[in-house]
Amino acid sequence: MILVTGGAGFIGANFVLDWLAGSDEPVVNLDKLTYAGNMETLAPLKGDPRHIFVRGDIGDSTLVADLLAKHRPRAVVHFAAESHVDRSISDPEAFIQTNIVGTFRLLEAARRYWSELPAGEKSAFRFLQVSTDEVYGSLQPADPAFSETNRYEPNSPYSASKAASDHLTRAYHHTYGLPVLTTNCSNNYGPYHFPEKLIPLMIVNALAGKPLPVYGDGQQVRDWLYVKDHCSGIRRVLEAGKPGETYNIGGNNEKPNIDIVHAVCALLDELRPRAGGSYREQVAFIKDRPGHDRRYAIDASKMMRELGWKPADTFETGIRKTVQWYLDNPEWVTHVQSGAYRDWVEAQYATAAA
Ligand SMILES: NC(=O)c1ccc[n+]([C@@H]2O[C@H](COP(=O)([O-])OP(=O)(O)OC[C@H]3O[C@@H](n4cnc5c(N)ncnc54)[C@H](O)[C@@H]3O)[C@@H](O)[C@H]2O)c1
C-alpha cells in the first residue's frame, strides 16, 4: 500500500493510473479536489478496490494521521500542491498554505507514523517529495543545466513555496532521520493536463479558433518531459533511490516556448487541418509575465548513472501522443472547461456527507 497526495491532478493521476496498470499494490489517494483536481481522470479506476480515494487536505493533520494508522502505507508520494505560476503571482496565499504549511503537516504526520513502525518497516519506509526544476531559478543561455547541487534561487511565489517544502523535507531527514527522497523535474506535458498550462491551452484554443497567447517574445526556454516518463522516474527513485538524496528528472529536451507552440500547430495542421491555413496564424504575442524566468534546463545524468533510468519518449513522440490524446478526448476537455466535473464533485460529496 502507498499513499499518494494530489493524485487527482495532472501528474498525480497519471502516476496512479500507471502504478495500478503495472502493479496490484493498492493506492490511497488523498486529494482536496481544488480546481486542478479532476475525478474524471480517475474514472478508469471506478469500482477498483486497489484505489481508495479520499477527498481531503494534506494540511488536515488528524485526517492524515488516521489514514496512515488505518492503511499503514510503506511510502508517501507527495504530489499535492498549488502548481500554476500565474496563479501564484495573482494570489500567493494558497501556495503558502498548501505547499509550505501543508507539506510541513504531512511531513510531521509521516514522521510520527514512521517513528512507531517496527524496525523492518521503519527502514523500508519512504517519503517522496515531488518537486520542480523551478526552485533553481533561471539560467543564462550558456549556463550548464541544473544539477542536484545547484543553489536554490526561486523567483516566483510558486517556486519559492516549493523550495520551502523541499527544505523542510531535507530537514526532516537530517534532523529526524525520516527516509526522504526528493525529485526535481522539468516541465511535464501529456494527457489529462489542465488547459491553463501552455501545451493543452494551445491545443484547446487552436481547435476553438481562439488566439494562441504567447508571453513576451516566446523565447523562454524550458526542458520538456512526457508525463509518463516523469512517472517512471518517480517509480525508479522510490524503488532504488538513496534516502536523503535528490534526483533531477528531465527529458533533455530544451526548447523555446514559441517552438513548442509551432510544434503543436504543425501536428494539428497534419491531424486536424484547418480550413484557410495553418493554426500558426492564431499565434498572438502578449505582455510578458512579471519576473518570467528565461531558461530552465535539467541535467538528469545522476538518475541515468545511479538508477539506470532514462525517458522512453522523445519530445517528438511525446507531443504527437499528447495532441492525439486531446483530439480523441474532447469530452474531458469540455467538462474541465465547463466546470461540469466540479459541479459533479460538489454534488457527489454533498450527498455523501448527508
Ligand atoms: N506540471 C509540471 O510540469 C511539474 C513539473 C515538475 C514538478 N511538478 C510538481 O508535481 C506536482 C504535481 O503537479 P501537477 O502539475 O500535477 O499539479 P496539478 O495542479 O495538476 O495538481 C495538483 C493536485 O493537488 C491537489 N491539491 C492541491 N492542494 C491540496 C491540498 N491542500 N491537499 C490535498 N490535495 C491538494 C489538487 O486538487 C490537484 O489534484 C506538484 O507538486 C508540482 O510542483 C509539476
Side-chain angles (χ1 to χ4, degrees):
M1 165 77 70
I2 60 166
L3 172 67
V4 168
T5 73
F10 163 49
I11 305 173
N14 272 289
F15 180 83
V16 170
L17 290 167
D18 286 4
W19 180 274
L20 291 174
S23 142
D24 280 333
E25 187 175 13
V27 174
V28 178
N29 184 350
L30 172 62
D31 194 297
K32 189 176 171 182
L33 295 180
T34 67
Y35 78 94
N38 187 348
M39 290 304 287
E40 271 191 39
T41 307
L42 297 166
L45 298 176
K46 204 158 184 240
D48 189 329
R50 300 171 306 160
H51 180 237
I52 301 160
F53 183 80
V54 179
R55 188 186 192 187
D57 194 321
I58 54 163
D60 182 343
S61 303
T62 309
L63 171 66
V64 176
D66 287 351
L67 288 176
L68 291 169
K70 182 172 170 196
H71 297 290
R72 302 184 62 80
R74 67 171 177 96
V76 174
V77 184
H78 177 33
F79 293 94
E82 288 292 336
S83 71
H84 192 206
V85 175
D86 287 341
R87 286 176 187 256
S88 85
I89 294 170
S90 57
D91 190 6
E93 176 76 29
F95 290 73
I96 307 305
Q97 283 310 326
T98 285
N99 299 1
I100 305 181
V101 180
T103 299
F104 156 68
R105 294 206 179 128
L106 185 68
L107 279 165
E108 189 56 14
R111 177 179 78 81
R112 286 171 192 271
Y113 162 72
W114 164 81
S115 66
E116 303 283 315
L117 287 174
E121 288 174 46
K122 196 171 176 186
S123 60
F125 182 80
R126 297 287 182 270
F127 181 103
L128 195 152
Q129 155 80 351
V130 178
S131 192
T132 164
D133 60 354
E134 302 194 26
V135 297
Y136 297 122
S138 186
L139 292 168
Q140 296 298 321
D143 287 346
F146 300 128
S147 80
E148 290 80 358
T149 53
N150 265 72
R151 62 182 280 190
Y152 271 33
E153 290 183 348
N155 288 324
S156 71
Y158 163 65
S159 54
S161 66
K162 288 298 290 186
S165 63
D166 291 3
H167 290 324
L168 282 167
T169 305
R170 176 191 158 87
Y172 268 66
H173 176 70
H174 194 79
T175 305
Y176 304 111
L178 186 70
V180 308
L181 301 155
T182 300
T183 56
N184 294 89
C185 187
S186 56
N187 276 33
N188 284 214
Y189 66 95
Y192 308 112
H193 207 180
F194 197 74
E196 65 180 358
K197 305 275 173 87
L198 181 71
I199 290 178
L201 181 71
M202 294 303 138
I203 299 171
V204 167
N205 276 16
L207 293 173
K210 292 184 182 164
L212 307 181
V214 176
Y215 279 132
D217 59 5
Q219 292 300 326
Q220 306 84 0
V221 173
R222 301 291 180 262
D223 187 302
W224 293 91
L225 183 69
Y226 189 57
V227 64
K228 304 283 179 191
D229 282 325
H230 187 188
C231 295
S232 77
I234 291 170
R235 288 197 302 275
R236 185 66 192 135
V237 171
L238 191 60
E239 188 177 57
K242 198 164 152 246
E245 291 287 314
T246 289
Y247 298 90
N248 281 355
I249 305 181
N252 211 8
N253 270 311
E254 269 190 70
K255 293 198 188 298
N257 284 347
I258 190 66
D259 288 9
I260 298 293
V261 176
H262 287 160
V264 167
C265 291
L267 279 165
L268 286 173
D269 286 340
E270 175 195 328
L271 300 169
R272 184 69 57 85
R274 188 186 86 137
S278 168
Y279 288 98
R280 269 194 191 216
E281 288 163 22
Q282 289 168 231
V283 171
F285 291 93
I286 60 168
K287 188 170 178 292
D288 209 354
R289 167 193 283 167
H292 206 169
D293 286 338
R294 208 59 191 159
R295 175 176 168 241
Y296 306 135
I298 275 277
D299 173 355
S301 57
K302 180 175 171 182
M303 279 289 287
M304 299 183 191
R305 198 175 55 246
E306 294 187 10
L307 303 184
W309 171 88
K310 63 175 175 14
D313 272 286
T314 62
F315 182 73
E316 286 65 32
T317 58
I319 194 69
R320 180 173 283 276
K321 286 190 217 175
T322 304
V323 171
Q324 191 65 57
W325 186 87
Y326 279 86
L327 289 172
D328 292 344
N329 291 276
E331 306 85 28
W332 185 91
V333 174
T334 311
H335 290 178
V336 168
Q337 287 177 316
S338 70
Y341 81 90
R342 264 175 282 155
D343 296 345
W344 178 85
V345 162
E346 293 308 328
Q348 164 78 8
Y349 283 92
T351 316

